[in-house]
Amino acid sequence: MEITHTERRQREWPGPSAVLALLKPITWFPPMWAYACGVVSSGQSLSTAALAAVLGIILAGPLLCGTSQAVNDWFDRHVDAINEPNRVIPSGRMPGRWGLYIALLMSMLSAAVAALLGPLVFMAALVGLALAWAYSAPPFRFKQNGWVGNGAVGLSYETLPWITAATAMTGMVPHTNLLLAAVLYGIGAHGILTLNDFKSIRGDREMKISTLPVLHGAMAAARIACLVMALPQLAMSGLLVAWSLPYHAAAIAVLLAVQLACMRRFLRDPIGLAVWYSSVGVGLYVTGMMVAAFGLRNAALTNSLG
């Protein structure tokens, strides 16, 4: 009798491990890194804005990104039952409608924390939450189209945290140069998101989700992903030269050259090597982001001294 009662309670309430699996900590890195880039590029000292830096990183990662993961898993539970049946919702470890309840609670908590960082950050967080829900939930469900959905995620995971961090650190709308860098790396992230779509082609095709590999085929989608990742970095390197930051521009050019060599190998077998290229190429990509951030920081400090 006791065993039956315990099993029933386990089915009614998700365990801590199930909640953590739903929020997917491994996915928190990109927006947290982008927020860190915004902190660095703002030119502000951590000693004067430590709370904005630390609280903002928590907001970008565990809260906003965690919310987006919960929302996505809830509305994708039928697709996951085909592609990844061991995920927390289709496997039954997240019982009933708890996936939805956690997504709603995380949304409210994210908004509350963002409000502590000021009205501009609060508004940016609301935009991020709106994109997170629109990406996965009907009637918009941006993820139904790989061009629209990946663009929304790229801007949410890279551009928005970067700009939000600079705003939180300074209390002002960021400089145009910083905005350009954040937008360029957000555009390039579209290609990163496309890499993730190679692992779920069968299920996406069955559920009529038009990712780039489904729309254009694996080889064409791989070429698009590589091009979309490379061009913004090339543009960023050129802008850094124009802003009198040649060493930072050269560093990004070297990182891009290594990526291009990796891309050649990836294009030989896009489906088989998508995970490999994602682990190698994305690491080089985000390293370039931080290089650009330090370049912008140097420029900001130089201008303030001047």
Side-chain angles (χ1 to χ4, degrees), residues 78-98:
H78 304 303
V79 180
D80 288 341
I82 299 171
N83 289 326
E84 300 176 83
N86 291 325
R87 276 196 173 187
V88 65
I89 292 180
S91 68
R93 287 180 292 147
M94 181 65 60
R97 299 175 67 83
W98 270 104

Side-chain angles (χ1 to χ4, degrees), residues 2 75 104 165 261 290:
E2 181 63 30
F75 288 102
L104 292 169
M290 190 58 75

Side-chain angles (χ1 to χ4, degrees):
M1 193 71 176
E2 181 63 30
I3 294 176
T4 303
H5 179 67
T6 302
E7 288 176 348
R8 186 180 299 116
R9 286 189 60 188
Q10 289 175 343
R11 287 197 300 269
E12 292 173 354
W13 293 85
S17 62
V19 174
L20 197 62
L22 182 71
L23 301 180
K24 296 187 187 65
I26 196 172
T27 66
W28 300 348
F29 172 77
M32 292 171 73
W33 184 263
Y35 194 95
C37 288
V39 169
V40 170
S41 61
S42 70
Q44 299 299 304
S45 170
L46 281 177
S47 61
T48 60
L51 180 62
V54 175
L55 200 59
I57 288 175
I58 294 172
L59 174 65
L63 296 180
L64 285 173
C65 185
T67 297
S68 71
Q69 295 302 320
V71 173
N72 186 61
D73 269 25
W74 174 255
F75 288 102
D76 251 17
R77 60 195 187 278
H78 304 303
V79 180
D80 288 341
I82 299 171
N83 289 326
E84 300 176 83
N86 291 325
R87 276 196 173 187
V88 65
I89 292 180
S91 68
R93 287 180 292 147
M94 181 65 60
R97 299 175 67 83
W98 270 104
L100 177 61
Y101 301 153
I102 291 172
L104 292 169
L105 289 170
M106 290 292 293
S107 296
M108 291 185 284
L109 181 59
S110 298
V113 171
L116 298 176
L117 292 171
L120 291 176
V121 175
F122 178 68
M123 292 302 296
L126 292 184
V127 172
L129 287 170
L131 287 173
W133 282 88
Y135 175 76
S136 301
F140 300 106
R141 199 158 165 76
F142 292 154
K143 71 174 300 173
Q144 290 288 125
N145 183 284
W147 287 105
V148 177
N150 289 356
V153 174
L155 294 175
S156 298
Y157 275 34
E158 306 295 351
T159 303
L160 195 59
W162 192 323
I163 294 172
T164 300
T167 302
M169 295 293 287
T170 63
M172 300 181 294
V173 176
H175 190 273
T176 302
N177 293 2
L178 190 150
L179 293 175
L180 279 172
V183 169
L184 281 173
Y185 278 106
I187 292 171
H190 188 291
I192 296 175
L193 271 299
T194 298
L195 296 176
N196 293 331
D197 292 331
F198 283 93
K199 68 180 185 296
S200 57
I201 295 175
R202 183 175 68 90
D204 290 338
R205 188 177 288 120
E206 288 183 21
M207 300 302 294
K208 302 190 186 309
I209 297 177
S210 301
T211 63
L212 265 61
V214 171
L215 280 172
H216 305 294
M219 182 56 71
R223 288 171 177 159
I224 292 169
C226 291
L227 190 64
V228 170
M229 289 179 69
L231 288 180
Q233 295 177 83
L234 185 62
M236 189 72 248
S237 184
L239 286 172
L240 289 170
V241 171
W243 298 336
S244 301
L245 296 165
Y247 298 115
H248 297 84
I252 290 176
V254 170
L255 289 167
L256 178 57
V258 177
Q259 289 173 69
L260 291 174
C262 294
M263 286 174 183
R264 288 187 64 185
R265 179 170 184 249
F266 165 58
L267 290 173
R268 295 174 194 160
D269 180 15
I271 295 176
L273 294 173
V275 174
W276 169 80
Y277 182 67
S278 182
S279 62
V280 176
V282 173
L284 295 166
Y285 182 91
V286 299
T287 300
M289 287 176 59
M290 190 58 75
V291 170
F294 273 102
L296 291 167
R297 180 179 184 83
N298 287 355
L301 292 175
T302 301
N303 290 337
S304 66
L305 291 174

